[in-house]
Amino acid sequence: MTPFDRPPVGMNLARTAKLVAQAFDAALVEAGGTLPVWVTLLSVKSRELANQRELAGMIGIQGATLTHHLNAMEAQGLLTRRRDPENRRVHQVALTAAGEALFETLRTAALAFDKQLRVGLPDDRLAEFAEVLAALRANVEARASGDC
């Protein structure tokens, strides 16, 4: 058996991740949002107030990209930004009532998607899968830091 008798783990994972991400984004769009909006709402909700730099890091995007998303979300009335009184260069971000409502709508869609994604997978296999994903992440992080 050669290494190419089955797709390499990385390729298989990349294909699956792309397909799942596209399907998840479609479910969020159907519910009235998008993946960037959901991740932003979730990140802000998980921390009552977060500054933009921290928020970009939590989401895993560049500051300029986050600014674009925040501008659009603020224009839609989903969140507010205000200067931190202790550091005028920092903006604090909070959800509005409309942002809270959209968060709940997208949360319901995300939970439904997750439930459908898990169909036929027993808890012990999901736990093992989570461990495998954690190991893959650790391997990638070790390579990136030069520890391999």
Side-chain angles (χ1 to χ4, degrees), residues 120-140:
L121 298 171
D123 288 344
D124 60 330
R125 290 199 61 206
L126 289 168
E128 183 178 358
F129 179 62
E131 290 173 10
V132 170
L133 288 175
L136 292 172
R137 271 192 310 276
N139 290 345
V140 169

Side-chain angles (χ1 to χ4, degrees), residues 138-148:
N139 290 345
V140 169
E141 289 167 354
R143 180 181 172 96
S145 68
D147 290 345
C148 297

Side-chain angles (χ1 to χ4, degrees), residues 34-51:
T34 62
L35 185 56
V37 168
W38 166 241
V39 173
T40 301
L41 292 172
L42 181 61
S43 296
V44 174
K45 179 78 172 169
S46 68
R47 299 174 89 173
E48 295 224 358
L49 286 174
N51 72 52

Side-chain angles (χ1 to χ4, degrees), residues 51-62:
N51 72 52
Q52 286 185 218
R53 186 175 309 122
E54 291 173 344
L55 190 54
M58 288 169 52
I59 296 172
I61 60 176
Q62 298 295 316

Side-chain angles (χ1 to χ4, degrees), residues 15-35:
R15 285 181 186 165
T16 303
K18 183 176 180 178
L19 180 64
V20 170
Q22 288 171 340
F24 185 44
D25 193 44
L28 293 173
V29 167
E30 186 176 318
T34 62
L35 185 56

Side-chain angles (χ1 to χ4, degrees), residues 24 38 105-118:
F24 185 44
W38 166 241
T105 298
L106 296 181
R107 179 178 173 273
T108 299
L111 290 172
F113 181 84
D114 187 66
K115 183 177 179 181
Q116 175 60 38
L117 195 60
R118 293 168 175 254

